[in-house]
Amino acid sequence: MKELVKNQNRRRFLRGGGALAGAALASTASAAGALAGQAQPLEVAPWSKTPGEPALWHPYGQPSPFEDKVVRRSRGAAPFPGANSSMTPLQDLFGIITPTGLVFERHHAGIPLIDPAQHRLAVHGLVARPTLFSMDELVRLPSVSRIHFLECSGNTGREWKGPGTASLQFSHGLLSCCEWTGVPLSVLLEEVGVDPQAAWILAEGADAAGMTRSIPMAKALDDALLVYAQNGERLRPEHGYPLRLFLPGFEGNMSVKWLRRLKVGREPFMSREETSKYTDSLPDGTARQFTFLMETKSVITFPAPDHRLREPGFYQIAGLAWTGRGRIRRVDVSVDGGRNWQEARLQEPVLDRALTRFTLPWRWDGAPAVLQSRAIDETGYVQPSGRQLVHARGLESNYHFNAIQSWKVGADGIISNVQV
Amino acid sequence: MKELVKNQNRRRFLRGGGALAGAALASTASAAGALAGQAQPLEVAPWSKTPGEPALWHPYGQPSPFEDKVVRRSRGAAPFPGANSSMTPLQDLFGIITPTGLVFERHHAGIPLIDPAQHRLAVHGLVARPTLFSMDELVRLPSVSRIHFLECSGNTGREWKGPGTASLQFSHGLLSCCEWTGVPLSVLLEEVGVDPQAAWILAEGADAAGMTRSIPMAKALDDALLVYAQNGERLRPEHGYPLRLFLPGFEGNMSVKWLRRLKVGREPFMSREETSKYTDSLPDGTARQFTFLMETKSVITFPAPDHRLREPGFYQIAGLAWTGRGRIRRVDVSVDGGRNWQEARLQEPVLDRALTRFTLPWRWDGAPAVLQSRAIDETGYVQPSGRQLVHARGLESNYHFNAIQSWKVGADGIISNVQV
């Protein structure tokens, strides 16, 4: 804050570059008449003249009707019933917490509406005490809360083939960050007694797809959670109500929703979602499998193709950075397509495997510009360029695209998706 | 996490005290038939048999219909149109982020529905450049995001006269915690140029009450924000859409909603809300005025009178602690009415003037117990007992009650509000 204030002293934002036109009031207002009799009087708005809607107008609150364009959006029709996704409108959001109503969706057989009183979690396989847990029993166990991002490994996948859609929501919107509350999976495994031979756990959802993934035991004992709350309240139906697995930093598909079964075994279970899907084809005909970790990535969320700059002048470039490896250490921003880089300010707190908001003040001179951000995590990993990523992986992948994103600002203020 | 896991190794929760009854499965399930043929087979639930609701069932998501009791609630009818409050259901929440739809409300003339394109913020008085700002202009200024609690100074006010209602929602529910995004007020004041004589700012809302409070210049230049987003999205109408003042750690009433005017002056403006209201009467006939700071406080949110313990056994005591002075350093919990205290675990991150979640494992033996929590902040301030608070302030106050709260657990598992 001090740094920001000091920065202010060097120049003003609204008139410093003739950018914005905050309307000046003609004279200092009188104490009594407030702003009456001025060049531009402050009119009393209609909503200030009569009492408004009562408290509990909505016992569960809703956004303003003026914000009804800020919603999740889908690319189009589902290939078969219930298999679809919807994207978070990152271009309209602030800070690091994603409002739960706007957290992205990815379903393989639609959203089951589960009665929590009837729901059970079965734990079996290589355990001493196979057990069915009710939700009441799970919620009584010791719990923790953590703020973590969740990203689909297919996020930004269309960029593998060249510049994708001119929309941040559609290019990067399979990404959200919430406060998750639940029982450490390690606590549950202690309850049932895991066989020393056990090395993998099959997690199965109660949706009609019976979504299944294999989870390494090391992750299960480290920081995996059985989550029942998100941003303070119980999970929403589309996010796994009443129970989901949550694996911090791993691809979203593994955080199995509507969790109904955990089977402990010696080997991975080779389910559909880790053999025919969610693997990364390589140029030599082989594929990377079990690529769990979401690598370091960032994107500029303002300005983005979903916005248009109406005039030259001051703008605050803002964006998000994240890494499955831990904390973000630094984000650099370029406004000239990567020739020069400036270090962005990171908004505190910078949390382990959470979205990190970065900002950089920018005065746009009205000429074309190419905006990029490049994240560096605490392990020293540097977000690659598209060229570096393709050099390493080829062009056959659909998942795990984490390259630097370029937004081109045209002289007309229109912003497009480019690769430079 | 490590500490928690180590703790698990000493005893199991579900059977260690015969507390919970996780249903055992009779035999290890076969790989193919999953859990078929067991003493208690895992039935395939109806919602697992057909595809569920599609993605974008709700473009803006809603809670599960099974959670429809988790709503804001009001004590009763308003004394005059639009003057009312509603409380956050803290007993049903987890972590530290309050879902925006459940953030408490306090209105003096209802909720105005403001068109952001028409809304203006006027800044005038002892400034070099009196200015009208549009929302577009404000949102282009440098912004920051901060996670902070917001508490009405009337929260828990009924406890001044003895034990209040047996409900956490009604006793402590004028309390929430969100991520707030907006422009530092210091940035705006730099834009308009503040006279060196200036010492106070009048903040005025656009509601029909024209809610006004006087803000000290030191606070305005320190950490006050002009907030337009809450938990990642634009403010909700009931929380000040499209613009509110936010003063971290100060009583909620000062974070003026629907902000339309800031007037800079030399003296406090002595508005209704800081003279006839929001002052603290003392036994000697005088009153404390401008008691801005919300003092250190805590409350146990589970178990609370809104719950009932169905049987003896293991429970995780959970609660919230907060302080307008900075960070929480420690929370102690007693299960015997304050004779013995144990240090609770604080959930990371512990943030400046944010809610802090604390937990303590507890094995209830079925006998009556009195649960208390006592917060200590980083300045060394210790949350007072009710007796200490009344000794210092007398019984004439309505605001700023921050004493230790006692919940009595009866042998029948019913929980009541007591003062010990």
Side-chain angles (χ1 to χ4, degrees):
Chain A
M1 176 71 88
K2 283 213 179 77
E3 190 187 346
L4 186 62
V5 171
K6 198 174 63 185
N7 204 20
Q8 306 321 307
N9 291 335
R10 291 203 300 270
R11 48 142 180 48
R12 284 160 33 218
F13 294 99
L14 295 193
R15 282 168 222 84
L20 293 177
L25 296 172
S27 66
T28 302
S30 69
L35 296 167
Q38 300 185 358
Q40 183 172 347
L42 180 66
E43 289 179 15
V44 176
W47 46 75
S48 300
K49 293 179 180 171
T50 55
E53 302 292 340
L56 291 182
W57 182 38
H58 294 297
Y60 192 97
Q62 304 297 322
S64 165
F66 291 99
E67 299 296 323
D68 62 359
K69 300 288 188 298
V70 182
V71 290
R72 299 184 286 215
R73 293 181 192 277
S74 191
R75 278 181 184 283
F80 54 90
N84 207 346
S85 60
S86 75
M87 278 92 158
T88 295
L90 299 171
Q91 70 278 5
D92 294 314
L93 301 185
F94 306 90
I96 62 168
I97 297 292
T98 310
T100 311
L102 297 174
V103 169
F104 76 93
E105 306 170 89
R106 173 72 176 100
H107 312 306
H108 296 75
I111 308 165
L113 279 182
I114 298 182
D115 178 353
Q118 301 300 319
H119 187 70
R120 296 290 181 276
L121 172 66
V123 186
H124 69 125
L126 295 182
V127 300
R129 296 170 289 278
T131 308
L132 280 180
F133 293 91
S134 72
M135 285 306 301
D136 283 350
E137 290 165 341
L138 290 169
V139 171
R140 274 180 64 179
L141 292 172
S143 63
V144 297
S145 299
R146 308 253 186 264
I147 296 174
H148 288 308
F149 76 83
L150 181 71
E151 185 185 17
C152 178
S153 55
N155 197 28
T156 330
R158 296 211 174 181
E159 300 295 316
W160 279 109
K161 314 294 188 228
T165 178
S167 159
L168 172 66
Q169 182 163 8
F170 287 129
S171 68
H172 287 74
L174 295 172
L175 171 71
S176 295
C177 182
C178 296
E179 184 184 33
W180 309 90
T181 297
V183 181
L185 181 50
S186 59
V187 169
L188 195 88
L189 293 176
E190 180 70 22
E191 290 291 318
V192 297
V194 172
D195 187 303
Q197 301 286 315
W200 290 82
I201 301 178
L202 183 76
E204 180 184 77
D207 56 338
M211 246 287 298
T212 43
R213 286 297 302 261
S214 302
I215 315 300
M217 184 61 74
K219 183 69 172 178
L221 293 175
D222 178 17
D223 58 5
L225 299 176
L226 296 168
V227 158
Y228 48 78
Q230 180 174 355
N231 286 344
E233 63 190 334
R234 295 293 179 130
L235 294 172
R236 299 283 176 82
E238 65 268 37
H239 302 134
Y241 182 87
L243 187 70
R244 82 180 296 173
L245 188 62
F246 190 86
L247 303 182
F250 276 22
E251 58 183 4
N253 177 261
M254 300 180 71
S255 287
V256 175
K257 298 190 284 192
W258 315 292
L259 187 69
R260 74 173 208 133
R261 189 161 70 98
L262 295 172
K263 180 174 183 179
V264 179
R266 284 188 185 83
E267 306 288 342
F269 293 79
M270 297 295 176
S271 77
R272 172 183 182 277
E273 303 294 333
E274 57 207 20
T275 51
S276 77
K277 304 287 177 187
Y278 295 97
T279 61
D280 310 309
S281 298
L282 296 175
D284 66 1
T286 65
R288 300 197 310 154
Q289 193 184 20
F290 303 131
T291 47
F292 304 140
L293 195 75
M294 297 307 292
E295 287 288 11
T296 306
K297 189 168 170 182
S298 69
V299 67
I300 290 172
T301 59
F302 180 88
D306 316 70
H307 310 115
R308 181 175 179 176
L309 302 187
R310 295 287 165 192
E311 57 192 0
F314 175 83
Y315 293 93
Q316 177 177 271
I317 294 173
L320 295 168
W322 63 101
T323 171
R325 295 164 171 267
R327 287 179 171 77
I328 291 293
R329 177 192 292 165
R330 202 177 87 206
V331 177
D332 297 327
V333 170
S334 173
V335 297
D336 58 8
R339 279 188 292 280
N340 298 286
W341 295 91
Q342 301 173 70
E343 186 171 344
R345 186 180 70 91
L346 302 188
Q347 174 69 65
E348 294 287 339
V350 176
L351 300 173
D352 178 22
R353 290 166 297 181
L355 293 186
T356 296
R357 174 70 65 177
F358 64 85
T359 58
L360 184 79
W362 179 48
R363 199 168 287 279
W364 181 43
D365 61 8
V370 174
L371 310 186
Q372 299 179 326
S373 63
R374 179 178 66 190
I376 298 139
D377 71 26
E378 63 182 347
T379 72
Y381 178 104
V382 181
Q383 183 182 5
S385 68
R387 201 161 304 174
Q388 291 171 317
L389 188 62
V390 169
H391 181 75
R393 303 264 178 81
L395 288 166
E396 302 306 314
S397 288
N398 292 312
Y399 303 100
H400 293 285
F401 187 92
N402 72 318
I404 290 169
Q405 176 69 48
S406 302
W407 302 132
K408 180 173 182 180
V409 182
D412 52 7
I414 291 177
I415 299 159
S416 53
N417 181 354
V418 297
Q419 288 186 8
V420 295
Chain B
M1 178 69 87
K2 283 212 181 75
E3 190 187 347
L4 187 60
V5 172
K6 199 175 63 186
N7 204 20
Q8 307 319 309
N9 291 336
R10 291 202 300 272
R11 50 142 176 52
R12 288 165 25 223
F13 294 100
L14 297 193
R15 283 166 222 84
L20 293 177
L25 297 172
S27 66
T28 302
S30 70
L35 296 167
Q38 300 183 357
Q40 183 173 347
L42 181 65
E43 290 179 15
V44 177
W47 47 75
S48 301
K49 294 179 183 173
T50 56
E53 302 292 342
L56 291 180
W57 181 39
H58 296 296
Y60 192 97
Q62 304 296 321
S64 165
F66 291 100
E67 299 297 322
D68 63 357
K69 300 289 189 297
V70 182
V71 290
R72 299 183 287 215
R73 295 180 191 278
S74 190
R75 279 181 184 284
F80 55 89
N84 207 347
S85 60
S86 75
M87 277 92 159
T88 295
L90 299 173
Q91 71 278 4
D92 295 314
L93 301 185
F94 305 90
I96 63 168
I97 297 293
T98 309
T100 311
L102 298 174
V103 168
F104 76 93
E105 306 171 89
R106 173 73 175 100
H107 312 304
H108 296 74
I111 308 165
L113 279 182
I114 298 182
D115 178 353
Q118 302 300 318
H119 187 70
R120 294 293 181 273
L121 172 66
V123 187
H124 69 125
L126 295 181
V127 300
R129 295 170 291 278
T131 308
L132 280 180
F133 294 91
S134 71
M135 284 305 301
D136 282 350
E137 289 166 339
L138 289 170
V139 171
R140 275 182 62 179
L141 292 172
S143 62
V144 297
S145 300
R146 309 252 186 265
I147 296 174
H148 287 309
F149 76 83
L150 182 70
E151 186 185 17
C152 178
S153 56
N155 197 27
T156 330
R158 297 211 172 179
E159 300 294 315
W160 279 110
K161 313 296 190 228
T165 177
S167 159
L168 172 66
Q169 181 163 9
F170 287 130
S171 68
H172 287 75
L174 295 171
L175 170 72
S176 295
C177 183
C178 296
E179 185 184 32
W180 308 91
T181 297
V183 181
L185 181 49
S186 59
V187 169
L188 194 89
L189 294 175
E190 179 71 20
E191 290 291 318
V192 298
V194 173
D195 187 304
Q197 301 286 316
W200 291 80
I201 301 178
L202 183 75
E204 181 184 77
D207 56 338
M211 245 289 298
T212 43
R213 286 297 302 261
S214 303
I215 315 299
M217 185 61 73
K219 183 70 173 176
L221 294 175
D222 177 17
D223 58 4
L225 299 175
L226 297 168
V227 159
Y228 48 78
Q230 181 174 355
N231 287 344
E233 64 190 335
R234 295 293 179 130
L235 294 172
R236 299 282 176 82
E238 66 268 38
H239 302 135
Y241 182 88
L243 187 70
R244 82 180 296 174
L245 188 62
F246 190 86
L247 304 181
F250 276 23
E251 59 184 3
N253 178 259
M254 300 179 71
S255 288
V256 174
K257 297 189 286 191
W258 315 292
L259 187 71
R260 72 173 209 136
R261 189 161 70 96
L262 294 172
K263 181 175 183 178
V264 179
R266 285 189 184 82
E267 306 287 341
F269 293 79
M270 297 297 176
S271 76
R272 172 183 182 276
E273 302 295 333
E274 57 206 20
T275 51
S276 77
K277 303 286 177 188
Y278 294 96
T279 62
D280 310 309
S281 298
L282 296 174
D284 67 2
T286 65
R288 300 196 311 153
Q289 193 185 19
F290 302 130
T291 46
F292 303 140
L293 195 74
M294 297 307 292
E295 287 287 10
T296 307
K297 190 168 168 181
S298 69
V299 68
I300 291 172
T301 58
F302 179 88
D306 316 69
H307 309 116
R308 182 176 180 176
L309 303 188
R310 296 287 166 192
E311 57 192 0
F314 175 83
Y315 293 93
Q316 176 175 272
I317 294 173
L320 296 166
W322 63 100
T323 171
R325 295 164 172 265
R327 285 179 172 78
I328 291 293
R329 176 191 293 166
R330 200 178 88 205
V331 178
D332 297 326
V333 169
S334 173
V335 297
D336 58 8
R339 279 188 294 280
N340 298 286
W341 295 90
Q342 299 173 74
E343 187 171 342
R345 186 180 70 92
L346 302 187
Q347 175 69 64
E348 293 288 338
V350 175
L351 300 172
D352 179 22
R353 290 165 297 182
L355 294 185
T356 296
R357 176 69 66 175
F358 64 86
T359 58
L360 185 78
W362 179 48
R363 201 168 284 279
W364 182 44
D365 61 7
V370 174
L371 310 186
Q372 300 179 326
S373 64
R374 179 178 66 189
I376 298 137
D377 70 27
E378 63 183 348
T379 73
Y381 178 103
V382 181
Q383 183 182 6
S385 68
R387 200 163 302 172
Q388 290 170 317
L389 188 64
V390 168
H391 180 76
R393 303 264 178 82
L395 288 167
E396 303 305 313
S397 288
N398 292 313
Y399 304 99
H400 292 286
F401 186 92
N402 72 317
I404 290 169
Q405 176 69 48
S406 303
W407 303 132
K408 181 175 182 178
V409 182
D412 52 7
I414 291 175
I415 299 160
S416 53
N417 180 354
V418 298
Q419 288 185 5
V420 295

